[in-house]
Amino acid sequence: MTTKTLPKRAILFDHDGSADDFLSLVLLLTMKEINLLGISITPADCFLEDAISTTLKILSIAKKKEIEISTGRFHGINAFPVEWRAKPKILNALPDLVTIDTPFAVDQFKESTEMFAQRILTSKEPVSILMTGPCTNLVHALDKTPAIKEKIEEIVWMGGAVDVEGNVKTYNHAGTAEWNVYWDPIASNKLLQHKLPLTIIPLDACNQVPVSIEFLKQLSSQSEYLYSRLAGQFWATTIDTIPSYEYIYFMWDVLATSYLDIPEAFVTEEMELNVHPTGPNSGNTERKKGTDQWVKVAKSVNKSYFYDYLLKQFKYTP
Ligand code: AGV
Ligand code: CA
């Protein structure tokens, strides 16, 4: 008798190079049921070159250098503060990464919307998309190649602030938006109009999981594992979060990534949402009846279940 194994879930990952974006990549690479088809880097909460380096170094450690990387060439309307964008430079200098040589030329990588279209159209299985930065590449890919729409199984996006305050604190803004949505509010607005199967992990849930010294101590107690050590080092760089806008760094992207593996840890609600495209509330993800733009929204998470899961996964040895 032959046993047939189910195909792994095909995933495209679009990240924007902050510390938790990279830990999301590490976490993805520990998941048994996932086939990572490609990685897109959006130059939003990072400088592209730094983020390419870190991504290559992580793939090298994971022995997954064959995974394709593409680069986003679009820039959002509302740029991230440069202090945040420069912060991940430290990551490439950390002891476990600094000696990993990964030379590259920026123009060797495909442009992200092209990679999205190609990977989705040639995939035998439907593809799910995990985004831990803005959604600009996906929205432009949908514009250019509408045929990909039918093959998208689910989109999981760290983005939004529905029933809680946003984390954008800047001029001409009411503080109602989350940064990934606000970077390109026009694209974010369009994404919802596509009415695709979309799950968002907004600040409503992320606010429950700050990077805490308690958790870093737990990680440190298992630092014989490379991924635990990396996670501890990466998160340690976030403890001095630049106070011009907010004081706490949360596990935003890592929480969204974990949804792929432990959806049972989340309380979700289906709701009709709209994204404000312009004005002082631009990027606000607001409840709006009658839009028919149904989104699955993570409202809360079982925090200890999530932390235990992370501690287990970061024992993975590549
Ligand atoms: O709004 C959360 C998103 C996540 O994708 N990012 C960081 C995460 O990668 C923007 C952000 C909000 N506050 C920040 C951010 C901070 N204090 N430092 C860096 N980025
Ligand atoms: Ca991010």
Side-chain angles (χ1 to χ4, degrees):
M1 201 180 79
T2 52
T3 47
K4 224 175 157 188
T5 46
L6 282 171
K8 294 182 179 188
R9 189 168 178 195
I11 301 281
L12 280 171
F13 177 40
D14 195 311
H15 78 71
D16 73 335
S18 188
D20 63 333
D21 293 86
F22 294 116
L23 292 179
S24 299
L25 174 59
V26 171
L27 185 59
L28 265 181
L29 294 169
T30 69
M31 292 181 190
K32 287 199 192 75
E33 306 305 324
I34 272 178
N35 175 21
L36 186 53
L37 297 181
I39 301 168
S40 155
I41 306 174
T42 296
D45 205 356
C46 66
F47 291 107
L48 189 60
E49 291 80 358
D50 303 332
I52 295 171
S53 281
T54 319
T55 305
L56 286 169
K57 283 170 190 273
I58 290 171
L59 289 182
S60 167
I61 284 178
K63 305 188 181 83
K64 293 275 173 65
K65 284 204 224 173
E66 70 281 4
I67 296 177
E68 186 181 10
I69 295 175
S70 67
T71 55
R73 310 284 159 85
F74 299 101
H75 288 266
I77 296 166
N78 302 302
F80 275 89
V82 277
E83 300 91 324
W84 291 1
R85 297 185 69 192
K87 199 68 200 304
K89 284 181 186 294
I90 301 171
L91 306 181
N92 291 324
L94 291 172
D96 283 309
L97 294 188
V98 71
T99 56
I100 300 171
D101 254 343
T102 51
F104 65 88
V106 176
D107 60 9
Q108 84 188 58
F109 303 102
K110 214 176 271 164
E111 189 273 323
S112 289
T113 63
E114 243 177 81
M115 196 266 289
F116 269 60
Q118 214 171 66
R119 289 284 165 179
I120 294 172
L121 293 177
T122 57
S123 169
K124 283 200 209 98
E125 318 294 334
V127 176
S128 292
I129 298 161
L130 170 68
M131 300 186 294
T132 59
C135 64
T136 307
N137 294 315
L138 173 60
V139 170
H140 283 277
L142 284 161
D143 277 349
K144 277 172 44 185
T145 318
I148 63 175
K149 203 165 169 170
E150 279 74 56
K151 286 188 73 181
I152 296 177
E153 181 180 270
E154 186 183 15
I155 299 163
V156 176
W157 187 22
M158 189 284 122
V162 179
D163 297 322
V164 298
E165 242 183 80
N167 60 10
V168 171
K169 307 268 155 63
T170 190
Y171 298 104
N172 293 346
H173 200 271
T176 46
E178 181 282 324
W179 265 99
N180 288 343
V181 181
Y182 174 69
W183 191 72
D184 188 348
I186 303 289
S188 306
N189 173 275
K190 280 192 187 161
L191 178 65
L192 267 65
Q193 287 184 28
H194 277 290
K195 299 180 185 174
L196 284 156
L198 170 65
T199 301
I200 62 169
I201 316 296
L203 299 186
D204 305 59
C206 296
N207 285 347
Q208 278 183 269
V209 290
V211 176
S212 70
I213 294 291
E214 271 62 43
F215 184 79
L216 295 187
K217 281 182 184 166
Q218 276 182 288
L219 260 182
S220 169
S221 75
Q222 55 182 57
S223 60
E224 68 271 28
Y225 296 99
L226 174 57
Y227 284 177
S228 295
R229 210 157 61 234
L230 267 186
Q233 290 172 9
F234 276 36
W235 272 321
T237 72
T238 71
I239 291 297
D240 70 333
T241 285
I242 318 273
S244 47
Y245 306 91
E246 63 179 343
Y247 293 88
I248 305 171
Y249 199 96
F250 293 86
M251 296 187 177
W252 299 286
D253 298 350
V254 175
L255 184 66
T257 305
S258 78
Y259 179 78
L260 295 175
D261 219 12
I262 49 164
E264 70 277 11
F266 293 78
V267 174
T268 61
E269 183 185 335
E270 300 270 353
M271 54 177 91
E272 284 174 293
L273 283 187
N274 177 52
V275 174
H276 258 277
T278 54
N281 285 303
S282 60
N284 182 17
T285 41
E286 57 175 11
R287 289 172 184 264
K288 195 169 178 186
K289 290 223 164 71
T291 59
D292 201 33
Q293 297 174 166
W294 290 93
V295 178
K296 190 190 271 187
V297 177
K299 291 286 297 170
S300 65
V301 63
N302 180 335
K303 191 170 158 170
S304 56
Y305 192 100
F306 167 66
Y307 283 157
D308 289 348
Y309 167 75
L310 285 187
L311 291 168
K312 173 170 73 77
Q313 292 303 113
F314 286 146
K315 285 184 179 167
Y316 180 95
T317 305

